[in-house]
Amino acid sequence: MATDSSLQGNAAARWQSIRRGQRRRPLEWLAERGIFLVSLSAILLILLIFIFVAREALPVALGRMTSAHASDVIAPEDMEKIPPAQLQRYLGLSTKEFAAMDAETRRELMKVKVEAREERPDDPDADLNTTRWRHLLLPHRWSGYEKPEYIWQPVSPIPKYNLVPLIIGSLKATLVALLFSVPLALGAAIYVSQLAPPRVKEYLKPGIELLAGIPSVVLGFFALIVMASVMQTVLGYASRLNALLAGVALGLAIIPVVFSIAEDALTSVPRTFTQAALALGSSRWQCAWKIVLPAALPGVFAAVILGFGRAIGETMIVLMASGNASIVSWSLLDSTRTMTATIAAELAETVFGGHHYRILFLVGALLFIVTFLANLAGDVIVHRLKGKLEGKTS
Amino acid sequence: MLTARDQMPWDFRRTALDLDSKFFTGLTALATFLILAILGVILGNIVWHGAEGLSWRFIISGTERDMFDVNKAGVLPMIVGTSARVILMTIFVLPVGVITAIYLTEYAHPLSVFTRVIRGAVNNLAGVPSIVFGLFGLGFFVNFIGGGLDRVLYAAEAEPHWGRPALLWASLTLAVMTLPVVIVATEESLRAIAPGLREASLALGATKLQTVVKVVLPQALPGILTGAILAVSRAAGEVAPILFTGAAYYMATLPKSLADQFMDLGYHVFILSTQSPDIEKTRPILYATVLVLLVLTFALNIVAVLIRARIRRQMRHHQ
């Protein structure tokens, strides 16, 4: 990208460092301080997002929650016999809550515990705390199953919260999306930035960027109503909604992302490179493929990473087109369930502050971390590439 | 208008016929036109089928009787809900976004580490998944701020007043999400302004703040407008962030206060495509709803792209 010579560069940071008017006008000084403070909002918001998503997930992440059904109960008549500290722990109350209760309320709570004991499902797994990390990530041989399995089944007598099916689902859809969109977007980026006649280029670039203007819920709708039937007729698979369909629809959503960043990187390769190649007799394709693309390769890589981040975080398309069955399968033709779609579909029905609620926030925190790292990597790569290419021109 | 690039010897021809080059150039051109063709097919399909179900009655009537009834359902409550949340969002996001952009272009040292951190945060904010914004809106705005307000103002009442999904919280969540869009667009337009303008203003004795507010900002207005339009068009179509912060499956009345929930066009598209009792029968209203949503978001987007193209041309003139 061309840079404005007087706004960029070390020697020319003059305008930004001018402080005229501050000394004699305290109000202007105050206003400029205000501008500075407001500009911190982006940093503050990123921190707030992480803190508040992680905060709801924290009790599960630290292993402070349990989904186990009560196994040993203390009869309400024995209340006076046990020490208060033990009673407080048994009832799962904070010290403040415990102190605020009278003996009668405590006795009622103990009766509730006994009743819960009677409703305990007749299942050997009822004692398991399924919110532990071991059960979130490793397979377990549940009663009634023949071998250890990964199961996401949050609404059942024994809630099962294994995240592996969701992670596999997300990766499957994202992989298909990248395989579908990267070749197309990269081809288009090479064509638009290097090969197209300048006059055509003026129209092609905004045209492709228009694809970004289609809301994801509309792409999801299109995949569900139109593409699903067409692809099933053409390819003849069994499950109408599957990872392949969701991935292709997802690919449509990330084409403009990959295209814009790759095109920007290719365009930022200095003109001297291409001029030299052309002067030596190369064709424009040879110049684009052997000179410009290798020089801009980190930028193309960044485009793929940022496309990955966008695809794995996309919600409505996969919610509508993937079929939402949480099964462990690497087949693209099976119905699949992603992390984002799980949050969108299940959060509204969870008990506020319950383990299901908190585990969905944990999934959200994982998504945040993954996309944060992808964005950070993409950002750093693009920045370095720009610095390198601009350094070479001067 | 010819730029320097056009006059370069781009038409350098090799004497021997270079089939490889022709083939691969054709391949990349094919990829480009394939993308445009897909875009055309999607838009064409929606406009074609959507126009059939669209009628004046559909736009101005509500869903009092049955939201799945082809002859009676309308989208007025959704248009009102989506417009309300988008307008509120613009009010929240515009000042913060524009001021941040002013700091980044007019005050921050371009090479300092601190400026890099702010830019990194803005880029990262743009990449946070929309569903995570939804979780954040629920955890921060609804539970923390809303719940906190309830504890302070309505301590006696058991019913939550602010601590539940509402128009205000949905708008604020979307404002957080679209902040980078406004910042990037405003910054671009501020950079496109000729530096000589700033210097001339200083030379005439204006202070820096006066220059920024009275000379630079008015010039940047088209770019700020582009940013606002892009933010509106992005936010109008987003569903995931408002799922838990304000959108309602069904409401008998229009939202009357900031604490009310609302019906939303995008969410309604989702409901009609996934929960309809008979998808074949409700197809006309589904397509018509999609068309209304697309007109809202897409028309705005085209306007923004056109203004942006003008700004970019203007910027090239200064170099």
Side-chain angles (χ1 to χ4, degrees), chain B residues 209-269:
Chain B
L209 193 67
Q210 283 170 335
T211 305
V212 168
V213 173
K214 296 201 173 141
V215 177
V216 176
L217 262 192
Q219 292 279 318
L221 221 51
I224 296 172
L225 193 70
T226 321
I229 295 172
L230 281 176
V232 165
S233 112
R234 162 102 197 268
E238 278 289 347
V239 178
I242 57 166
L243 278 177
F244 326 120
T245 52
Y249 179 86
Y250 175 76
M251 273 183 75
T253 56
L254 296 177
K256 289 187 187 59
S257 81
L258 292 179
D260 280 349
Q261 282 190 289
F262 58 95
M263 289 178 86
D264 179 81
L265 269 178
Y267 188 42
H268 199 63
V269 168

Side-chain angles (χ1 to χ4, degrees), chain B residues 273-284:
Chain B
S273 14
T274 56
Q275 336 227 321
S276 167
D278 182 354
I279 191 77
E280 288 306 323
K281 232 185 201 167
T282 54
R283 191 182 288 253

